[in-house]
Amino acid sequence: MVRKSILTVLMSAAAMPFCMSAQATDLEVTHWWTSGGEAAAVAEFAKAFDATGNHWVDGAIAGSGGTARPIMISRITGGDPMGATQFNHGRQAEELVEAGLMRDLTDIAEAGKWREVVNPPSLLDSCTLDGKIYCVPVNIHSQQWLWLNNDVFKKAGLEVPKDWNEFVAAAPKLEEAGIVPLAMGQQPWQTSLAFQVLLVAVAGPDIYNKVYGDKDAELAGSDALAPVFEAAARARDMSKKSNVQSWNDATNMVITGKAAGQIMGDWAQGEFQMAGQTAGKEYSCLPGLGMNEVIQTGGDAFYFPKVDDAAITEAQGVLANVMMAPDTQVAFNLKKGSLPVRGDVDLTAANDCMRKGLDILAKGNVIATPDQLMSADSVTQINDLFVEFFNDPSITAKDVQTRFAAIVADAE
């Protein structure tokens, strides 16, 4: 059980630098959380913020982050900023911060002792530029998962796979049964996600860090990495009949038994939970595709654009503290399928998949996301490459490896 109620945390002026507002303020918050599980999670933030006497004005933007971010950036640079906005951990808002358009949260972070409670510390480092903190990390999302419909395998007379290789071996029999082996949406980040998850699973986290972190183009184009691109080509073949666009539509294919599995981040858990399914019963989850079990320390963060309005500025500070409050962290992340950024919260209600993630995190088996290691432009180039690859079977594994290595060579 969570140690305190959300209201208790919000009203504790001694422990937290926020309390009920003297005057209610509407605060527009933009984000791209629109699937069923995501909407349930973001409602926890809204409920906790509204409990302070302010009002969360929901600015959800349909689509993915790739769709939403240009809209958010355009509003901020165009002089029409929202009160708060979502970005992913990493360098996505770097230019906005450098341009002086984002609020410095260092005083709030120091008062709340964020450096003492955020785990791993790299999450807060991703919000820091020139020693100042500019965002609130709200969760740890890892992309390194394979989600499986247990019943699909049983009906096909197959054991539920324990790793990627067993999953690939089961594909022909699944196809004979009319099941799409691998569900995959066609948004650019999804195909790129599948590739980099395969890179970690097949080649290991050290190779991943050298390629994405050190920008080792020679390694990226070497024979040592050829199996990774061959695995990506196999994934392309297994997903050729997926025919969906959004990630949550692909997840729904797994939930409903139209597909056997999906490579997707842990946010997919929210969709399984909304469908009333239980981890370890109706579905299984394989961190690191069951091969190299690691947790990425990426996730979501909220930035607060500078505004010339004292009431909005005050409400921004309240929301920043609400998002970091222990009970809000628990309530939000249990719905979202992610892990809290606070290392001091009670997670006895965590499900089987969340416990796997917590165990891996406790062992220190973590890697950064591409957004934390490369510029937004370099990540976009890789995304575009794998959209083309997954949609054009004529592009060979060797071809895409050569092009990928060239992007890595010029990456920032």
Side-chain angles (χ1 to χ4, degrees):
M1 181 178 293
V2 177
R3 290 188 291 271
K4 298 179 182 178
S5 71
I6 290 175
L7 189 56
T8 300
V9 174
L10 296 177
M11 293 295 291
S12 180
M16 301 294 291
F18 64 94
C19 56
M20 298 295 285
S21 282
Q23 160 180 348
T25 299
D26 288 345
L27 193 73
E28 182 191 10
V29 185
T30 55
H31 60 87
W32 56 82
W33 289 326
T34 56
S35 75
E38 291 173 327
V42 77
E44 295 294 339
F45 277 153
K47 180 171 66 174
F49 182 64
D50 287 355
T52 67
N54 293 291
H55 179 58
W56 174 290
V57 178
D58 199 69
I61 299 173
S64 65
T67 300
R69 278 190 297 273
I71 297 172
M72 297 165 173
I73 292 170
S74 177
R75 283 190 53 184
I76 295 167
T77 57
D80 181 30
M82 62 296 290
T85 189
Q86 174 192 8
F87 286 102
N88 295 121
H89 298 162
R91 299 172 61 182
Q92 291 177 352
E94 188 173 75
E95 292 183 2
L96 295 173
V97 172
E98 291 174 338
L101 296 173
M102 291 300 193
R103 179 178 172 181
D104 178 0
L105 303 176
T106 306
D107 57 339
I108 294 173
E110 290 177 349
K113 299 181 179 179
W114 292 3
R115 284 286 178 196
E116 296 179 18
V117 298
V118 172
N119 181 48
S122 58
L123 297 174
L124 205 54
D125 292 341
S126 293
C127 288
T128 304
L129 187 67
D130 296 331
K132 296 180 180 180
I133 296 171
Y134 289 93
C135 67
V136 184
V138 296
N139 58 10
I140 304 171
H141 262 321
S142 181
Q143 302 177 2
Q144 311 290 317
W145 296 83
L146 176 62
W147 305 91
L148 303 170
N149 181 313
N150 293 345
D151 193 49
V152 162
F153 291 94
K154 293 173 184 176
K155 286 182 177 179
L158 297 163
E159 293 291 326
V160 178
K162 296 182 179 60
D163 60 34
W164 170 256
N165 291 331
E166 291 184 8
F167 180 55
V168 171
K173 198 163 184 179
L174 291 168
E175 290 176 325
E176 288 176 10
I179 303 298
V180 175
L182 182 64
M184 185 178 297
Q186 292 303 307
Q187 291 163 316
W189 62 271
Q190 292 184 64
T191 49
S192 182
L193 178 151
F195 165 74
Q196 60 94 356
V197 170
L198 285 165
L199 173 58
V200 177
V202 175
D206 289 343
I207 298 296
Y208 166 83
N209 285 329
K210 288 177 182 177
V211 172
Y212 277 87
D214 298 339
K215 320 297 189 298
D216 190 333
E218 183 177 352
L219 176 60
S222 71
D223 290 342
L225 256 68
V228 174
F229 294 88
E230 290 165 3
R234 187 72 182 101
R236 176 177 64 184
D237 183 63
M238 292 167 65
S239 63
K240 61 181 180 291
K241 294 184 179 179
S242 188
N243 297 325
V244 292
Q245 186 72 14
S246 300
W247 71 267
N248 51 305
D249 289 334
T251 305
N252 188 61
M253 289 180 67
V254 180
I255 292 171
T256 58
K258 295 177 182 177
Q262 179 190 22
I263 297 172
M264 187 47 58
D266 51 14
W267 51 89
Q269 282 192 86
E271 304 306 300
F272 284 98
Q273 290 176 155
M274 285 293 292
Q277 296 194 1
T278 302
K281 185 179 178 183
E282 287 90 359
Y283 69 97
S284 293
C285 53
L286 301 181
L289 309 192
M291 299 177 72
N292 276 295
E293 296 186 352
V294 297
I295 288 292
Q296 280 187 331
T297 55
D300 302 294
F302 279 82
Y303 288 77
F304 299 83
K306 287 182 179 178
V307 294
D308 187 20
D309 186 314
I312 294 294
T313 299
E314 180 183 354
Q316 288 176 331
V318 173
L319 179 57
N321 280 308
V322 164
M323 288 177 161
M324 190 60 76
D327 285 7
T328 318
Q329 276 281 300
V330 172
F332 169 77
N333 283 290
L334 286 177
K335 294 282 180 67
K336 191 71 166 63
S338 48
L339 303 178
V341 299
R342 295 186 68 116
D344 61 348
V345 295
D346 184 355
L347 279 172
T348 54
N351 67 23
D352 180 65
C353 294
M354 289 185 72
R355 291 190 184 283
K356 288 181 180 180
L358 288 167
D359 288 344
I360 296 169
L361 184 63
K363 294 174 184 175
N365 296 340
V366 298
I367 57 174
T369 66
D371 287 321
Q372 292 169 297
L373 298 173
M374 287 185 173
S375 69
D377 180 63
S378 297
V379 171
T380 297
Q381 290 180 53
I382 293 173
N383 289 351
D384 291 344
L385 172 62
F386 283 99
V387 168
E388 185 181 354
F389 174 71
F390 272 86
N391 282 281
D392 186 353
S394 70
I395 302 175
T396 68
K398 183 60 178 175
D399 290 340
V400 76
Q401 182 175 7
T402 300
R403 293 172 62 182
F404 175 74
I407 294 173
V408 171
D410 292 334
E412 299 176 350

